[in-house]
Amino acid sequence: MPLLTTIAVGGLQTNCYILKSVDSNDCAVIDPGAEPARIVDAVRSAGLDLRYVLCTHGHADHTGGVAVLQQEMGGSYYLAAADTDYSKNPPGWLLDALGGYTDPPEPDLSFGNSPAIQLGSTEITFIQTPGHTPGSTCFLFESMVFTGDTLFKGSIGRYDFPGGDGRQEIESIRDKLLILPDETPVFPGHGPSSTIGEERATNPYLASLE
Ligand SMILES: [Zn+2]
């Protein structure tokens, strides 16, 4: 199995990413938002051991498959404490769009505040990027950045949901993401991938920065 596998899940086509360690069968899953059975199948058929379930933020289309995935395969579950309120009782329209949603379990507290975790000998670094939600977190793995709903190809995440803050979101992108090298691949929570350099040069929401 390659280092990175992408599965688009649910009615909102959330990008669920499976990250494989470079030197072991350990893996981490980012944003299992729906269709957990498909994710379980992918992990199992590749012979991987699920170590971590990492959510970029608490919206239901990113957390809806966590409970079943963890029941089936274990693994420590990360969601920023600031987002736990957003991860339960999603609005009806979202439930209808997702299908098969299950309330996520309580996040594992062992991650603490400023985690970097090991996947085999590979590190996954957590980058706090509040704005889309207060607890939005990006993950850096093997020079790839997973940006959830903070930064998309050609766009940024909505900030008009409860807890959203547009000014904070732009500051997070400017101060935490655009400092990464231009060639850094960007893997967002929805839609196609990009690079930091491409977003810096062409993303209309970032045009006024710098
Ligand atoms: Zn979201």
Side-chain angles (χ1 to χ4, degrees):
M1 193 177 203
L3 280 187
L4 175 64
T5 302
T6 308
I7 308 174
V9 295
L12 300 186
Q13 291 289 282
T14 304
N15 286 326
C16 171
Y17 296 106
I18 303 172
L19 316 184
K20 183 196 172 303
S21 160
V22 289
D23 59 356
S24 76
N25 285 328
D26 289 343
C27 78
V29 168
I30 295 178
D31 286 352
E35 302 187 76
R38 283 179 64 204
I39 304 165
V40 169
D41 277 354
V43 171
R44 255 192 205 133
S45 62
L48 301 180
D49 299 321
L50 180 61
R51 295 288 309 281
Y52 303 107
V53 180
L54 309 174
C55 286
T56 56
H57 64 291
H59 285 155
D61 57 319
H62 297 257
T63 63
V66 171
V68 172
L69 180 62
Q70 202 181 34
Q71 261 162 29
E72 296 276 330
M73 314 208 82
S76 302
Y77 167 43
Y78 170 84
L79 175 70
D83 266 24
T84 51
D85 284 353
Y86 303 103
S87 68
K88 290 179 178 163
N89 305 311
W93 66 265
L94 187 50
L95 283 182
D96 291 345
L98 290 175
Y101 169 87
T102 309
D103 263 344
E106 290 301 315
D108 196 314
L109 297 176
S110 64
F111 286 102
N113 281 329
S114 56
I117 54 176
Q118 292 296 131
L119 196 63
S121 65
T122 319
E123 195 161 72
I124 301 176
T125 308
F126 294 37
I127 308 171
Q128 305 302 330
T129 53
H132 176 66
T133 61
S136 282
T137 306
C138 298
F139 303 106
L140 196 60
F141 169 75
E142 288 291 296
S143 301
M144 301 178 270
V145 68
F146 297 85
T147 55
D149 288 0
T150 296
L151 178 63
F152 299 118
K153 180 182 174 69
S155 188
I156 64 172
R158 289 176 61 170
Y159 42 79
D160 56 332
F161 295 123
D165 183 326
R167 184 186 53 80
Q168 203 178 34
E169 183 170 342
I170 289 287
E171 285 175 3
S172 287
I173 293 169
R174 182 191 65 197
D175 299 342
K176 305 283 188 63
L177 298 180
L178 294 187
I179 59 170
L180 297 169
D182 274 353
E183 61 272 21
T184 306
V186 172
F187 292 96
H190 304 271
S193 57
S194 183
T195 65
I196 289 292
E198 182 181 339
E199 293 316 302
R200 187 200 312 282
T202 64
N203 190 316
Y205 293 89
L206 310 180
S208 59
L209 302 179
E210 300 176 287

